Amino acid sequence: MNNSSDYSTIIWSEPHCSKDALTDTYGWFMQFLLAVLAFTCLIGKRFCEPRYARRPWLIWFYDTSKQGLGAFLIHAANVWLSPYLTGNPCTWYIVNFMLDSTLGLLIIWAGIRLAQHCARVYDIPLINFGEYGKPPMCSAWICQCVLYAALATFAKSILALVLRLPPVVAVLSTLRLSPVSDPRLELAVVMLIIPFFINILIFWVTDNFLMYRPRGVNSKIKTKVRYQSIKKEKSGSEDEEQSADERLLAANV
């Protein structure tokens, strides 16, 4: 009886994933499949948009490529960090992923809103997410890609430092994805099944952040143009009134 209990304790305490499980052939296949499924959802989201508000393919690519770049950087950091942490690499990966999908997304959202505020206040359209000019400028897309990548890197760095705190490591290092004991099944759960369903929501919400077009950017330019058009209309009406008075005086003479 004691032997069976000891054996079950060993089963539950030993990590199921090896240190290189995330980067072997099977692990890379799971990551590639997740990327394909995630961006298929973004394509489906585009077709769910109303026809009058549906983005052209170029604008859609500009919006989603920023998210793809940020997701790649965060995912690469998780794959690289997980084997170096104490405990099960698969557990650490899913913990990192869940933090990135909640607190990390909140940090990125705050950064996007700050960039949009600066775009309105300082009239910098290049950092206004979703605005690329007419016609769309590649420079605006590159600038926003760099800014979004910086936000993703900053969010990942903050969360990585939190996970290095001794109390956090002491708690999370004992977690196991029990009762999943098969290493391949465990890897599929943490790198495909759970991330797929969460990414549907996260990618959808983040895409709305990136395609959002706040009002007020270039307000100074718009105000000047509007004022000049009103001034022209007033001057035109005054000229018409003056020519009408001249015609009346000439008729009286």
Side-chain angles (χ1 to χ4, degrees):
M1 187 71 179
N2 293 333
N3 293 334
S4 62
S5 62
D6 293 340
Y7 177 75
S8 61
T9 302
I10 294 174
I11 292 284
W12 294 109
S13 60
E14 288 183 348
H16 304 146
C17 282
S18 60
K19 292 293 183 181
D20 59 346
L22 302 178
T23 55
D24 61 9
T25 303
Y26 184 74
W28 287 119
F29 174 73
M30 290 290 103
Q31 297 173 52
F32 174 77
L33 187 57
L34 176 63
V36 172
L37 293 175
F39 279 94
T40 301
C41 295
L42 288 176
I43 296 175
K45 179 181 181 297
R46 178 186 179 273
F47 287 104
C48 290
E49 297 171 358
R51 284 186 174 271
Y52 62 86
R54 186 174 298 170
R55 291 166 290 177
W57 281 110
L58 179 61
I59 302 300
W60 177 87
F61 171 76
Y62 281 175
D63 288 340
T64 56
S65 59
K66 289 177 289 189
Q67 186 173 180
L69 176 61
F72 171 77
L73 293 175
I74 293 175
H75 173 77
N78 291 340
V79 172
W80 180 73
L81 289 173
S82 297
Y84 292 97
L85 297 172
T86 304
N88 191 342
C90 290
T91 303
W92 278 112
Y93 177 84
I94 198 62
V95 167
N96 275 280
F97 175 81
M98 297 300 294
L99 288 176
D100 295 331
S101 301
T102 51
L103 297 179
L105 183 62
L106 181 62
I107 295 173
I108 293 175
W109 173 82
I112 292 174
R113 288 293 181 262
L114 178 61
Q116 291 172 339
H117 174 73
C118 293
R120 289 193 300 268
V121 173
Y122 301 105
D123 197 19
I124 312 175
L126 288 178
I127 63 173
N128 184 36
F129 284 92
E131 294 286 348
Y132 308 102
K134 294 183 180 180
M137 296 182 297
C138 185
S139 58
W141 169 64
I142 294 175
C143 183
Q144 294 175 29
C145 280
V146 172
L147 181 56
Y148 189 83
L151 290 174
T153 303
F154 174 75
K156 184 67 247 181
S157 300
I158 295 296
L159 296 178
L161 291 176
V162 171
L163 290 178
R164 297 296 295 175
L165 296 176
V168 178
V169 174
V171 173
L172 297 181
S173 61
T174 59
L175 294 179
R176 298 288 182 269
L177 288 177
S178 303
V180 180
S181 59
D182 184 81
R184 287 182 176 267
L185 178 59
E186 184 176 13
L187 189 63
V189 169
V190 302
M191 298 200 74
L192 180 63
I193 298 175
I194 295 177
F196 170 70
F197 290 103
I198 296 179
N199 276 338
I200 292 177
L201 175 63
I202 298 305
F203 275 44
W204 198 292
V205 172
T206 307
D207 188 51
N208 287 334
F209 292 162
L210 296 176
M211 67 178 290
Y212 177 65
R213 300 176 181 227
R215 299 178 181 178
V217 180
N218 285 335
S219 57
K220 297 178 181 179
I221 298 176
K222 293 179 181 178
T223 304
K224 291 179 181 178
V225 173
R226 185 178 179 184
Y227 174 76
Q228 290 176 357
S229 62
I230 294 175
K231 186 176 181 180
K232 289 181 180 178
E233 291 176 1
K234 288 184 177 180
S235 61
S237 61
E238 290 175 358
D239 292 338
E240 291 177 1
E241 292 176 358
Q242 185 176 2
S243 61
D245 292 336
E246 292 175 354
R247 288 196 299 270
L248 181 60
L249 290 174
N252 293 331
V253 173

